Each structure stands twice: as structure tokens, then as C-alpha cells.
Amino acid sequence: MRVLLVEDDIMIAQGLETALRQMGAAVDWIRDGEHADAALRSTTFDVVLLDLGLPTRDGLSVLRDLRRRGNATPVIVLTARDEIPNRVAGLDAGADDYVVKPFDLDELTARIRSVLRRAAGRGDPVIQHGDIRWDPARRSVDYKGAPVSLSAHEYAVLEALLTRPGAVLSRAQLEDRLYGWDEPIGSNAVEVYIHGLRRKLDSEAIRTVRGVGYFIPKKP
Amino acid sequence: MTSIRNRLVVALTILVVLVSILAAIVTYRRVLDETSDLFDYQLRQMALSLRGQVSFAPRIEVPPDQGDADFVVQIWDLFGTRVYLSRPGLPMLNQVVLGYTDLSLRGEAWRAYGLQTAQGVIQIAQPLRVRRVLARAAALRVVVPLLLLLPVMVAFVAWIVGRGLAPLRQVTAEVQRRDVRSLSPVTVTELPLEIAPLALELNRLLARLQIAFRAQRDFIADAAHELRSPLTALKMQLQLLDRAPDPQARSEARERLGAAVERSIHLVMQLLTLARSEHIEVAAPPTSIDLGEIAALALADAGVLASSRDIDLQLEAQPHSIVHGVPEALRTLARNLIDNAVRYTPPGGRVVVRCAAGRNTTDLVVSDTGPGIPATERARVFDRFYRQSAATTGGSGLGLAIVAAIANRHSAAVTLADAPGGGLEVTVAFPTAAFPTVAFPTVAATPASSREPADADGLRLD
């Protein structure tokens, strides 16, 4: 999962970055509106956490532009503006959710899962795909009824593939989901995680399209 | 409490009574004068009409004439014998006086006229009382209607005053309807000339109050809003501390939690400082103090932060840079300026504080080697909670607002400029003229422009 964090307050951003990394997310942190707009034009994110009071450009304006371009990336507005008209304006500008500071980390992560679920068009918070059972809220994966222990990166790769079954994700696309801009990428890292997942689940759970990428079959 | 209406009624009553008395006196006098002339004329006419009859006058006393008591007639013959007295029993003068004369008989004033004829002397006398009674009656005729009119006038005045003061009651009622939430101006149109200025001044006061209340409300809203950020960081770091997977993450979370606590404390302290800065004079009396001492103390306060950021602090204080102010407030001012400079200056930079006394002002100048502030943003940086774009210094956004508030209380001007070597230069110019009793022996000979470090106290804090 790749998250764009747009927040001008260093302390809040550092905390959120840590929390999201602990969730296994790749986090890109941007401090102002102009750069947020540029990042949203160049990179695909799974979810955007957007502060409204930003230097150089207001968060709402960035959000409106994003929606005007037809970009449906889930956006959660994080702001100190808690009056009803502000909430309405935020949601009407295209926000999927509106979280008021100071927020609870558990609630925020639940809301992130919720907007991701809705973006994927799923209703059930727990995903059962063949023998694989994935519970995003508890960050747990069961295979044939037995819990499987995954590393954070393995979990992130499985999450990316399970979110869109049947879709082939290239190594670069998977790396995008694993690492933020400022994180170093291991050379064979993706292959290592795919190997680990096949070992822990089933060698046939993840298929390879040679030269293109990896996918999880729609119906096993 | 005095009442305009009562005072007017009392004053008018007194006035009317005085006028009545005056009118009575004047009327009495005039009527007396006029009747005197008339009666004198009558006396003389009577004497003249009797002239031809002196020889026929009975030489014996006639019975008293009961009918006309107002006049007494005496007739003497050429030998000086009284031949006639119209009212016997009245001891008239035995000595004949010709022409008009005033007499006093038995305590009563009389007016007499004596006429010399060929046969003798005729004297007609009349008591003055008759004239006075007439004059008194005439005066009463003037005064009585005036006094009878008095209650009507009082009622009329009361009514007029009541009507005249009605706009005042209207303004009072309007003002009574005002409270903190509705400070709208009082209606001024249709107010009389005497009350309109009061209402206008009231409206100006209301307008100023409204601005002050709005500023206060905005400030509280802003402050609450600004407190959210550090509180968000606090709550988050606490949760991260709880869920830290390893000791390293735990110690990092604890460190950040501490930083978030420090930041919250800093913001609250700055809020308090700002609130106090706007009511300095209540807290402490102003004294004359050397800016150099203030700057040295403030630099010492900033020493820890500066050394942690590897920033060189320097003081160039001209001796006797005396200003008139509240020492604690001035120290806060200097500390905020230095703090700001240190926060915005990149590591390895330098912050210089200069104190110099000029002809008209005594200046505190803080310059840094930071990025400076673009001219377009300079006016806004004194706003509360304003931070430069992409500002990431962790400041409260109140520093320059505090500086501005304290400077304002000291009638000092704050100006922002580019420092010679890049960076920001803030000058706080305190008025010298405000305390002419303080002598500046060394300053008089020193041009204001010479701020060479050579003649300055070199205090360095590393």
C-alpha cells in the first residue's frame, strides 16, 4: 500500500509516517500544496492523507483539482477545521472521509482500511480468496485455516496482489507499493518476498507472467 | 441624582416669581409717580377753583365734611387767620407753605398745595395713603395674573422638557438592548443636535468594542485551533509508544513524545506571554534601563538552543543605550527576536544583536544569516499564528506578534529589512524623546550611523 501524506506539521507527519510504516505501507510525505499536486499528477497512490491548511496551496484546492482530472484515489482529509460547513466543503470537494485533529491512530487506520475497501468495491471487511483469508483490520493472513506469519514487506506484496485479483502487477508497481521515494530498494527484493509468500502459502498461490509481473488468479 | 426637568422647573418658577415681584415693584412705582402728578394737578386745580371764593368763606368753623375725607381744605385771610378748615379736628399746619409740600401729621404722610390769592391763602392737603392704595391695587392687577399663570407655566415647562428629553430615553432604551453579541450602532438620525454627538461617540465606542471583541473571539478560536496540532502530535506519539514493536521504536516514540510535550508547553507559554504583553503597564512600572543588559540576558536565554543548532550569537552593545520601559517585557521582546532568528538560521549561521542610541531613537537590532522574509510577507509576519510558508521550525507562530505587542506598549517601531549579508534584520526603535531627563553624554558625540563593532562591547556566546 502506498500512501501520500500531505502534512506541514513535522511532528504530526513523523508520527503518522511511523504509524503507517508499522502498517506496512510505503509513505511519501509532502509538506505543501504545490508539491502535493505535483506528486498526485506523477504517481499513483492507494490512499491520500490530506491536511487542509497547507503552505503555498490549500488542501481543498489540491483535492478539487485531483477530482477534476477524474482521479478517484481515496482521499482522507486530516484537519483541525472541525466546523460542520468545513466538513461539508471537504466532503463535497471529493474527500472520501474527514478526520478531525486530534484524532486516534486506531480510528484513522480503520478509516484508511474502510476507504480502501470501498475503493475496491468490497463490502466484507475480511477477504476470502480460495484458501487465503485476509483480515486487513487485524493485519492477519490465514491459509487453509492456519495463521501465517508474514514480514511487513511480504504482507504489503500480498495486499497489493489480493486487492486486485487477476491484475498483473509489474515488479516496479510492486516496488512502488513497498517503498516511499526516500527509501532504498533492494535489487531482488520483490522476488525475495514473492518467494517467501509462495513458501508460506502455496507455490501456486502467486503466478508469474514472465517478463511482465505477478498476479493472483481471480478464482483459484 | 440631579434631574434636568426638576432643575428647569425650579429655575423657571424662581424666575417667574422674581419677574412678578419686579413687575409689581415697577408697576407700583410707576403708578405712584403717575398718580402723584395727577393728584398734584388735582390739588392745584382745587385750590385754583376755590380762589374766587375765599372772601365768602365762613369765618367760623364749619361742621366737618363727612363726605370727602380725602381732601382737607384750609383757608387763611390776609391777616393770617384761618377762616376755613374742611375737617376740624385735624391738626393742620399753622404755618402756611406756598406751592407743593410733603407733611407729616400724626404719623401719616400728607401732600399739600398752598396758593396765594389776593384775599388770602388756600391750602389743599391730601393723605399720601390714597395714592399708595391706588398704586398697590394697580401693581396687584399686574402680579396676580402672572402668579396665577405660574402653575400652568410649570406644567408646560415640564411637558416641553419631557418631550425634549424623549430622544435621550430612546437612546437609553436602544443602549439597554445592546450586549456583547449585538454591538450594532444606535440610530442617530432624528436625534436632536444636543444628543446626536453623544450617540455618535457612543457608536464609535461600540464600533471599537466590537472590533476588540471580535479580535478576542478570533484569538481564542485561533488559539484553540493552534493547540490542536501539538495535541494531535502528543496523542499520536503516546499511541505509537504503546504499540512500539521494539525498544528502538519505543525510545524514538518517547523522544518525540517529549518533543511534543515541549512544543505544547512552548505554545501555551507564548500564549500567556502574548496575553500579558498587552497589559504590561498593569504588571510593573516602567524604569530606565540599558538595552545592552536586556540583550545580554536574552542572549543567555537563547544560548542553549543556539549551541544545539551550532549558531554563533554575538552582542554589539553601545554603552548607555538607555530606554524607558518594563524590563521583564523588554527581555521577552529581545528573547523572542533572538529565538526567532536562531530558529530560522541554518546551522553554522550567526545571529548578531546590536544596541545603539541615536538622536531620536534607541535601537535594538537583531540580524541573522537565515533565509530572510520576502518583502511581500513582511506585513503579515506580525499576525498571530502566522508562519512563513513551509515553515518547519516548530515555533508557535506568536513570537513576532508578542514582539509587536510589547513594542507597541513602549511606543517603539518595529521594522523588518534584509540583513547586509542576507537574512533578516529586525530593528526595534524606542523613542528617545519620551524621557528627556536621561542624559546621553557619550551618545551626543557619536553619530547614529556609527555602529562599528570596534566601539561596542564584544560579548560572545557560543
Side-chain angles (χ1 to χ4, degrees):
Chain A
M1 180 174 63
R2 185 161 190 157
V3 181
L4 178 66
L5 170 61
V6 189
E7 169 63 70
D8 65 331
D9 190 293
I10 299 181
M11 285 190 173
I12 295 174
Q14 280 177 341
L16 276 175
E17 206 175 15
T18 308
L20 292 167
R21 290 237 164 89
Q22 285 175 5
M23 278 177 75
V27 183
D28 294 314
W29 170 28
I30 280 173
R31 297 177 182 184
D32 68 298
E34 287 295 347
H35 285 95
D37 189 61
L40 284 166
R41 284 171 192 272
S42 63
T43 314
T44 308
F45 296 95
D46 293 295
V47 67
V48 180
L49 300 182
L50 182 66
D51 185 15
L52 292 186
L54 292 171
T56 71
R57 194 167 159 195
D58 190 78
L60 271 189
S61 135
V62 174
L63 177 56
R64 281 199 198 93
D65 266 18
L66 179 79
R67 296 306 188 217
R68 211 168 286 143
R69 291 198 298 274
N71 189 327
T73 305
V75 174
I76 298 178
V77 167
L78 292 183
T79 181
R81 302 177 193 168
D82 66 341
E83 293 88 353
I84 300 290
N86 289 327
R87 292 166 186 249
V88 171
L91 293 170
D92 280 348
D96 294 271
D97 208 343
Y98 198 97
V99 177
V100 174
K101 294 174 185 172
F103 48 80
D104 187 277
L105 266 184
D106 291 331
E107 187 189 339
L108 179 66
T109 49
R111 285 178 185 274
I112 291 173
R113 284 192 297 274
S114 155
V115 296
L116 286 173
R117 193 171 67 233
R118 269 180 274 150
R122 290 187 275 112
D124 189 353
V126 179
I127 295 172
Q128 185 77 44
H129 191 84
D131 291 331
I132 305 169
R133 190 188 137 87
W134 171 41
D135 183 351
R138 290 170 47 232
R139 290 176 50 75
S140 67
V141 175
D142 291 2
Y143 185 69
K144 287 185 173 167
V148 181
S149 168
L150 298 178
S151 77
H153 282 139
E154 287 168 348
Y155 180 87
V157 169
L158 182 66
E159 180 188 43
L161 293 169
L162 266 180
T163 308
R164 272 154 292 180
V168 180
L169 295 180
S170 69
R171 189 177 127 177
Q173 282 174 314
L174 284 173
E175 280 171 350
D176 268 356
R177 297 281 165 290
L178 291 176
Y179 305 103
W181 293 319
D182 47 356
E183 289 175 277
I185 301 172
S187 55
N188 285 320
V190 171
E191 281 87 342
V192 171
Y193 304 141
I194 295 283
H195 177 75
L197 283 171
R198 282 176 175 156
R199 190 166 47 78
K200 290 174 181 173
L201 303 171
D202 178 356
S203 59
E204 287 302 302
I206 298 169
R207 308 277 175 83
T208 305
V209 180
R210 208 157 291 281
V212 181
Y214 308 92
F215 72 103
I216 287 181
K218 255 190 172 159
K219 274 297 151 199
Chain B
M1 225 168 8
T2 56
S3 152
I4 293 180
R5 181 204 291 245
N6 291 353
R7 279 164 66 174
L8 272 174
V9 165
V10 169
L12 269 156
T13 308
I14 292 173
L15 189 71
V16 167
V17 168
L18 284 178
V19 164
S20 304
I21 292 169
L22 196 68
I25 293 171
V26 168
T27 308
Y28 179 78
R29 280 278 163 80
R30 284 190 60 182
V31 170
L32 204 59
D33 282 356
E34 280 167 15
T35 50
S36 289
D37 289 349
L38 209 63
F39 280 115
D40 282 359
Y41 177 74
Q42 199 183 4
L43 285 180
R44 187 159 174 268
Q45 287 304 314
M46 278 178 76
L48 287 174
S49 67
L50 288 172
R51 185 172 47 183
Q53 297 163 26
V54 173
S55 52
F56 307 111
R59 295 205 172 244
I60 45 144
E61 290 188 359
V62 292
D65 184 345
Q66 303 296 332
D68 190 359
D70 280 354
F71 293 94
V72 175
V73 180
Q74 287 184 100
I75 300 173
W76 288 271
D77 63 11
L78 285 172
F79 309 100
T81 313
R82 184 160 59 193
V83 291
Y84 179 74
L85 174 63
S86 65
R87 281 180 65 189
L90 269 176
M92 296 303 288
L93 269 189
N94 292 323
Q95 189 189 354
V96 172
V97 181
L98 294 182
Y100 294 108
T101 183
D102 288 315
L103 310 167
S104 181
L105 295 175
R106 281 195 207 149
E108 194 178 1
W110 287 72
R111 182 77 165 164
Y113 181 75
L115 178 71
Q116 174 79 59
T117 65
Q119 289 86 18
V121 173
I122 301 168
Q123 188 181 46
I124 314 284
Q126 183 191 29
L128 280 176
R129 171 175 41 83
V130 176
R131 304 178 179 199
R132 290 201 182 113
V133 167
L134 279 172
R136 207 174 294 140
L140 270 180
R141 276 197 299 279
V142 172
V143 171
V144 167
L146 272 177
L147 289 178
L148 283 179
L149 265 177
L150 187 62
V152 178
M153 284 173 80
V154 164
F156 188 66
V157 162
W159 181 68
I160 289 283
V161 169
R163 275 193 59 113
L165 293 180
L168 209 55
R169 284 195 294 277
Q170 175 201 330
V171 170
T172 308
E174 280 211 49
V175 172
Q176 271 171 348
R177 283 197 292 274
R178 300 295 183 285
D179 61 20
V180 176
R181 281 173 296 285
S182 67
L183 292 172
S184 54
V186 172
T187 323
V188 179
T189 51
E190 297 170 16
L191 281 186
L193 207 61
E194 291 80 4
I195 298 173
L198 173 71
L200 278 174
E201 283 308 316
L202 196 67
N203 281 347
R204 289 202 187 99
L205 178 68
L206 283 173
R208 286 197 296 275
L209 270 179
Q210 194 157 24
I211 290 169
F213 275 127
R214 194 171 296 153
Q216 205 73 21
R217 206 168 47 220
D218 289 352
F219 176 63
I220 291 169
D222 286 350
H225 188 267
E226 287 297 319
L227 275 166
R228 281 174 195 261
S229 290
L231 291 178
T232 304
L234 264 180
K235 178 164 181 168
M236 200 157 49
Q237 294 301 344
L238 193 64
Q239 286 188 296
L240 284 172
L241 183 65
D242 280 346
R243 56 168 78 171
D246 51 70
Q248 194 200 332
R250 196 169 300 125
S251 86
E252 190 183 84
R254 189 170 292 140
E255 194 178 303
R256 286 178 178 173
L257 184 62
V261 171
E262 286 302 324
R263 180 178 161 192
S264 307
I265 292 171
H266 179 64
L267 178 56
V268 170
M269 297 307 280
Q270 288 285 74
L271 278 171
L272 274 175
T273 306
L274 182 61
R276 283 188 194 132
S277 303
E278 288 167 356
H279 307 281
I280 294 170
E281 69 273 75
V282 185
T287 53
S288 289
I289 186 157
D290 196 324
L291 266 187
E293 291 175 26
I294 297 277
L297 286 171
L299 277 171
D301 291 340
V304 176
L305 181 65
S307 64
S308 77
R309 293 181 53 87
D310 190 24
I311 285 164
D312 186 21
L313 295 180
Q314 201 172 321
L315 175 65
E316 297 168 7
Q318 192 182 319
H320 305 288
S321 300
I322 309 293
V323 297
H324 194 63
V326 181
E328 199 46 53
L330 292 175
R331 186 171 164 183
T332 304
L333 177 146
R335 193 170 49 224
N336 272 285
L337 282 179
I338 295 165
D339 208 56
N340 238 29
V342 169
R343 281 179 197 276
Y344 282 93
T345 302
R350 169 197 275 199
V351 172
V352 181
V353 182
R354 288 195 307 266
C355 306
R359 190 176 300 277
N360 300 315
T361 60
T362 304
D363 298 347
L364 175 72
V365 185
V366 177
S367 57
D368 61 50
T369 56
I373 298 178
T376 51
E377 282 195 40
R378 280 180 195 158
R380 293 176 58 203
V381 295
F382 293 106
D383 292 349
R384 288 155 173 172
F385 302 117
Y386 179 82
R387 291 188 204 91
Q388 272 179 272
S389 43
T392 48
T393 57
S396 63
L398 288 172
L400 282 177
I402 291 171
V403 168
I406 296 175
N408 188 32
R409 285 284 160 189
H410 288 82
S411 306
V414 186
T415 46
L416 305 181
D418 290 319
L424 181 69
E425 181 177 274
V426 186
T427 305
V428 186
F430 295 88
T432 306
F435 42 101
T437 49
V438 182
F440 298 96
T442 55
V443 177
T446 315
S449 58
S450 82
R451 289 166 171 167
E452 306 304 323
D455 62 292
D457 278 347
L459 171 66
R460 268 170 166 272
L461 294 164
D462 288 323

